[in-house]
Every structure is written in structure tokens, then in C-alpha cells.
Amino acid sequence: MKILVPVKRVVDYNVKVRVKSDGTGVDIANVKMSMNPFDEIAVEEAVRLKEKGVATEVIAVSCGVQQCQETLRTAMAIGADRAILVQTDAELQPLAVAKLLKALMDKEQPGLVILGKQAIDDDCNQTGQMLAALADLPQATFASKVEVVDGRAQVTREVDGGLETLSMGLPAIVTTDLRLNEPRYVTLPNIMKAKKKQLDTYKPEDLGVDVSPRLKTIKVSEPPKRSAGIKVPDVATLVDKLKNEAKVI
């Protein structure tokens, strides 16, 4: 069984994000970029399934600019067998990415697709669900445990009331949550080995997909600065301020 793992190149989670002066987006010039943390968890889970003998091949996929090759090399250093880059300079929105992944699924015929539940740059939490809808496949989101037994995926997911376990036929789509695993440390020998692994490149037009944006970003702004707290002399004043100033009660 093949496992397809989409990964996204995002601003590193340790970097303080700066908004462009004209408010059109986030400034990524000379900013450290890395793999989306949720996608890193997805790669780790796919590699673990391969180590258990459940999967035969792990394929990492990324859509975006040429520099996404670095992210794919990281995925191969973790343990992916080969990688595919859908190269485009266009702004990719979740629906466009889902369509590209659907086209690659038709090409590769994976038994399982594991991807992060959301990217830390746009926080959309849409791509996995859209891909499942386009491919008409069962999906399990926010997975905290994944097992493949007798040709079925058993996924434990966290819900408000506790844990929910789903059993799905394969192929299927799984999106990962933080508590699924702890990604391994990437060693230097594995980084060197990853440089020799196969990396194929396609264009969106090769896959017959229109990636033109459907949404327009009107403005990007930083959250307002948090105001300083104040001390109140008694409970009556506190209630009055909560009611009339903060308007929370």
C-alpha cells in the first residue's frame, strides 16, 4: 500500500510574523521557512506505518514555489521514499491544492492519504475535507491515533466529549492532530540520503488543474495590542465594568 503525505512550506513557527506595510499579506522576505508542524506529524505517522509493515511506500507531495523542494527533502530525511512537487508561483488556496492532490491520487492510487489538519499560516483547516469530497472517500479528521487492521483504518479522534473511534475502508483520508505522535529528530546521514532520493516535478497544467484563486484577501492586520489591566475597589465596581464597559455580562 502507498501512503501519500502532502506537506506545506510555511513560515517557521518560532518566527514572529510581520505584516507588510501596505496590509496585503505577511512579509516572508528573508524569513526562515520550514515544514508545517501538523504535516511533519503526518510524515512521521506514515513512516511509522511503513516500519510496521502496513505500507510499502511513502510519497511526500508539496504544491508551490521551487523552494518547496527543501521541505520535501526534509520529509524524505524523516523517511519518505520519494517526493512530488507541483511547481507554481501562483497563490494556492485550499480548493486548488485539493484539486492538485486529487489529480495526483488518480495517478498514484494510494491506499491512504495522511495530511496535517491545518497549516499554521492560513489556519484554514479545509484541504483534507475538500480532498475527501472531491475523491468521494471516507475521512477522519483530527486523528490522535491511527491503526490499519485487516484492510481497514481505525482512527481515534478527539472530540469535545472525549474520544471517538472510526473504522473506515481504504482508500481513505486522515488529517492529523498534535497528539498523534512526536516527529523524530532528522539526522545528518538521513539528510544526505534524502538528497539522492527521487523528486519528480509537475506543473498544474500537466495535471489539468486550474489553480486560479477563488478568494481575494482584502486586508491583513495585526491583532490589537492588549490593554493593561486595572484594579477595582469592590465587586460592585467589577460587575459594573463587566456589564457597561466590557459588555460581557
Side-chain angles (χ1 to χ4, degrees), residues 160-179:
D160 290 342
L163 298 176
E164 177 182 59
T165 303
L166 304 176
S167 178
M168 308 179 296
L170 299 177
I173 314 292
V174 174
T175 72
T176 64
D177 213 335
L178 276 175
R179 279 170 285 281

Side-chain angles (χ1 to χ4, degrees), residues 3 15 44 48 51 75 77 80 84 106 120 130 137 147 159 164 168 178 182 184 199 209 227 236 246:
I3 300 180
V15 173
E44 174 67 28
R48 289 188 187 188
E51 288 170 349
I84 299 171
D106 293 340
I120 61 170
M130 287 176 168
L137 291 176
E147 291 180 320
V159 294
E164 177 182 59
M168 308 179 296
L178 276 175
E182 184 75 37
R184 68 193 68 188
L199 196 160
V209 177
S227 55

Side-chain angles (χ1 to χ4, degrees), residues 131-188:
L131 177 59
L134 290 171
D136 194 23
L137 291 176
Q139 62 174 315
T141 55
F142 316 137
S144 60
K145 186 179 180 183
V146 178
E147 291 180 320
V148 179
V149 183
D150 298 329
R152 294 184 70 83
Q154 290 193 344
V155 179
T156 303
R157 58 193 299 270
E158 297 180 358
V159 294
D160 290 342
L163 298 176
E164 177 182 59
T165 303
L166 304 176
S167 178
M168 308 179 296
L170 299 177
I173 314 292
V174 174
T175 72
T176 64
D177 213 335
L178 276 175
R179 279 170 285 281
L180 180 57
N181 62 50
E182 184 75 37
R184 68 193 68 188
Y185 177 75
V186 180
T187 61
L188 185 60

Side-chain angles (χ1 to χ4, degrees), residues 26-232:
V26 172
D27 186 6
I28 59 170
N30 302 315
V31 171
K32 184 186 177 189
M33 308 291 281
S34 60
M35 189 190 301
N36 179 45
F38 290 104
D39 295 339
E40 200 172 351
I41 290 167
V43 176
E44 174 67 28
E45 192 62 25
V47 172
R48 289 188 187 188
L49 287 171
K50 186 190 170 191
E51 288 170 349
K52 288 177 186 174
V54 172
T56 53
E57 187 178 32
V58 176
I59 308 162
V61 179
S62 193
C63 307
V65 295
Q66 188 178 0
Q67 289 91 327
C68 290
Q69 287 188 16
E70 299 163 16
T71 310
L72 290 170
R73 293 290 178 198
T74 303
M76 289 191 284
I78 293 172
D81 298 290
R82 60 186 173 95
I84 299 171
L85 171 62
V86 182
Q87 189 176 330
T88 176
D89 292 329
E91 178 201 347
L92 291 176
Q93 294 173 349
L95 180 59
V97 175
K99 286 179 177 178
L100 291 170
L101 294 176
K102 167 68 168 62
L104 289 173
M105 282 182 69
D106 293 340
K107 216 174 182 55
E108 296 289 345
Q109 297 293 315
L112 194 61
V113 179
I114 308 179
L115 66 162
K117 70 171 183 177
Q118 66 193 74
I120 61 170
D121 52 2
D122 55 19
D123 273 339
C124 278
N125 179 20
Q126 294 174 343
T127 307
Q129 292 89 325
M130 287 176 168
L131 177 59
L134 290 171
D136 194 23
L137 291 176
Q139 62 174 315
T141 55
F142 316 137
S144 60
K145 186 179 180 183
V146 178
E147 291 180 320
V148 179
V149 183
D150 298 329
R152 294 184 70 83
Q154 290 193 344
V155 179
T156 303
R157 58 193 299 270
E158 297 180 358
V159 294
D160 290 342
L163 298 176
E164 177 182 59
T165 303
L166 304 176
S167 178
M168 308 179 296
L170 299 177
I173 314 292
V174 174
T175 72
T176 64
D177 213 335
L178 276 175
R179 279 170 285 281
L180 180 57
N181 62 50
E182 184 75 37
R184 68 193 68 188
Y185 177 75
V186 180
T187 61
L188 185 60
N190 286 337
I191 292 172
M192 300 309 291
K193 285 177 192 171
K195 291 181 179 178
K196 297 178 182 175
K197 289 184 179 179
Q198 179 183 344
L199 196 160
D200 299 318
T201 304
Y202 296 99
K203 300 277 187 191
E205 48 269 28
D206 298 337
L207 302 170
V209 177
D210 174 21
V211 296
S212 53
R214 273 22 179 212
L215 305 172
K216 182 181 178 183
T217 302
I218 297 171
K219 186 182 178 186
V220 177
S221 59
E222 290 190 20
K225 293 276 191 295
R226 189 173 177 179
S227 55
I230 58 168
K231 287 184 179 180
V232 292

